Amino acid sequence: RLYEVKDANADAATLKKAEGDRKKAIAIYEEVLPQLKGDEQSRVLAQTAHLYQLTGNKAKAQELYAQILKNTKKYSTDLLVQSYLGIAEMALSQAKYDVAEKKFKKALALKPSTSYIIKSRLAWTYYHNHQENLAVQTLEGVLKEVPASESTFREEVARDYASFLAHTPVTTTKIDFLAKNTPEIARHDNLVFLAGELDRLGKKSEALYVWKYLGEQAKKSASDYEEHLRLAQIQYDLGHKTESAKEIDLFVHTLKTQTCDVKKENCDLMRLKFRKLLTDWAKAESRDTSLALIHAYGSYLSVYSDLDMSYWAAESAENIKAYRESIVYYRLSADTAAVQISKEASHHDSHIEK
């Protein structure tokens, strides 16, 4: 069981040892199984089948699960549920979606306490059988049912919901449902993921719909300057670089008039986001720099001292023969370097004195 938890990040040696230990466990279980009775026998039988499944012996696992399901009156409801789920998961991994659907439904008919987990897996059979609307409806039910305390599971289901939703007509109601049912830590990323999936599927207008929704949410939740920076990123992601530069101007103007409160916002993080936006933009335009990027560099350098950025701005301006701007940024780069060297020398001298 401990190996199963660690498998996702294990190295080859650990996986090999786990395989050997699981086979040893199977041998021990099979030796003691005939001597066991009642609940103890049920638990060992289920664990043995599961170990066969983990070691790749799906035929033997299937045989044990089938053996359990032939004697439904003999075994507990929990064991029957585990058996149906074991068969369903193997069928799902083998692309036998109809079989998986039937077995998941058999497990649900026994009314297990964790039915929402089973329904989340059932939704995948609908999705693979091109019943995307049914998959979406099923996960909507799961998200309404799953306890709020299970935030990790809720986050996973919400991401699956976004994946399925991208293949169906997207409305404001659906987007709002996704936002409200995704844990806050993953909410923005999940909506961005949905927009990206829609764009990948060629559903440009619906992708724009999601981006606009993100922009509206940013207006409601962010400080003025944070709002403009988020909108600048959204406009850039949409390919609207002139509009992105305008939002950057508004961000800088607002930042100059509203002091960033370090206790409330992570000002350093905002600077890093701003810097990343410009570096991503510069990489995308490495062969064809736009005036909008040069302008955005200027906005950044009007509020932040940054040797690398001032030098890259100078190079970019020179590449498109914007010589006036290039000279300004080269001078700024030299001045920034001089200040930096002076500070380092001062720090070095004070260290020697100590």
Side-chain angles (χ1 to χ4, degrees):
R1 185 182 63 81
L2 293 175
Y3 278 127
E4 186 179 356
V5 173
K6 296 177 181 177
D7 271 0
N9 299 310
D11 56 27
T14 302
L15 289 172
K16 186 175 181 180
K17 187 176 187 307
E19 181 84 2
D21 287 349
R22 283 167 177 160
K23 288 179 178 178
K24 289 178 185 176
I26 288 171
I28 294 169
Y29 280 149
E30 289 193 326
E31 185 178 342
V32 302
L33 194 58
Q35 305 165 32
L36 303 176
K37 294 181 180 180
D39 289 344
E40 195 172 32
Q41 184 189 56
S42 296
R43 286 197 298 273
V44 171
L45 193 59
Q47 185 64 14
T48 305
H50 185 58
L51 285 169
Y52 273 123
Q53 198 172 336
L54 290 175
T55 52
N57 193 341
K58 294 183 179 180
K60 188 64 178 178
Q62 186 92 18
E63 181 185 319
L64 283 178
Y65 287 135
Q67 178 184 326
I68 293 166
L69 295 173
K70 280 181 181 178
N71 298 279
T72 55
K73 293 181 180 180
K74 180 179 179 181
Y75 299 110
S76 68
T77 300
D78 284 346
L79 183 55
L80 297 177
V81 169
Q82 288 180 52
S83 299
Y84 281 126
L85 292 182
I87 295 172
E89 289 293 349
M90 285 190 288
L92 191 60
S93 69
Q94 296 168 339
K96 297 177 180 178
Y97 304 124
D98 291 335
V99 174
E101 180 185 338
K102 288 177 183 176
K103 298 304 178 183
F104 281 133
K105 286 180 175 178
K106 286 277 190 181
L108 284 170
L110 295 172
K111 302 186 184 303
S113 59
T114 54
S115 61
Y116 54 87
I117 297 176
I118 301 171
K119 289 174 187 174
S120 74
R121 302 300 294 156
L122 175 62
W124 278 98
T125 67
Y126 295 145
Y127 173 74
H128 285 301
N129 275 329
H130 307 292
Q131 295 174 290
E132 292 89 353
N133 286 318
L134 187 53
V136 166
Q137 290 170 18
T138 302
L139 289 192
E140 285 175 353
V142 171
L143 287 167
K144 290 175 183 176
E145 187 179 346
V146 63
S149 58
E150 295 191 31
S151 58
T152 301
F153 178 69
R154 178 176 285 276
E155 187 176 330
E156 291 172 0
V157 174
R159 176 52 67 96
D160 290 344
Y161 180 77
S163 297
F164 299 165
L165 188 59
H167 294 267
T168 67
V170 176
T171 63
T172 303
T173 303
K174 297 288 187 184
I175 298 170
D176 200 45
F177 181 88
L178 173 63
K180 288 178 179 177
N181 287 279
T182 301
E184 187 175 355
I185 192 172
R187 189 170 300 146
H188 178 77
D189 288 346
N190 219 7
L191 288 166
V192 170
F193 171 77
L194 173 59
E197 278 295 282
L198 289 167
D199 187 58
R200 183 182 66 81
L201 294 169
K203 302 169 77 173
K204 304 290 183 181
S205 60
E206 289 176 270
L208 181 59
Y209 208 50
V210 180
W211 285 120
K212 286 181 177 178
Y213 180 91
L214 275 165
E216 289 302 315
Q217 294 306 304
K219 288 179 183 179
K220 294 176 184 177
S221 63
S223 59
D224 289 343
Y225 44 84
E226 187 181 7
E227 171 200 329
H228 290 304
L229 184 58
R230 286 185 181 180
L231 290 174
Q233 180 68 60
I234 290 170
Q235 292 288 10
Y236 173 76
D237 289 337
L238 287 170
H240 302 160
K241 294 174 183 177
T242 301
E243 288 78 4
S244 181
K246 289 177 182 176
E247 290 295 342
I248 286 172
D249 281 346
L250 290 169
F251 165 73
V252 169
H253 173 75
T254 311
L255 189 60
K256 288 177 179 177
T257 56
Q258 295 180 7
T259 304
C260 181
D261 189 340
V262 180
K263 292 180 181 178
K264 292 182 179 178
E265 283 109 7
N266 190 334
C267 302
D268 289 336
L269 181 59
M270 273 202 295
R271 176 180 178 169
L272 289 173
K273 287 181 177 179
F274 191 3
R275 197 178 196 275
K276 186 178 185 303
L277 168 58
L278 293 186
T279 54
D280 288 347
W281 191 341
K283 286 177 184 176
E285 293 187 353
S286 59
R287 295 184 180 181
D288 188 21
T289 302
S290 65
L291 284 172
L293 174 58
I294 302 301
H295 185 81
Y297 269 130
S299 297
Y300 175 90
L301 293 168
S302 71
V303 286
Y304 300 120
S305 176
D306 191 316
L307 176 58
D308 289 336
M309 293 293 276
S310 57
Y311 184 76
W312 293 335
E315 277 195 326
S316 296
E318 185 179 8
N319 288 341
I320 62 170
K321 299 180 181 180
Y323 297 121
R324 182 179 298 177
E325 289 82 357
S326 180
I327 291 169
V328 169
Y329 294 139
Y330 274 128
R331 283 178 178 168
L332 178 60
S333 179
D335 291 343
T336 305
V339 171
Q340 188 171 310
I341 291 168
S342 177
K343 284 182 179 178
E344 289 174 358
S346 177
H347 177 74
H348 178 71
D349 291 343
S350 63
H351 182 72
I352 291 174
E353 288 174 5
K354 290 179 182 178

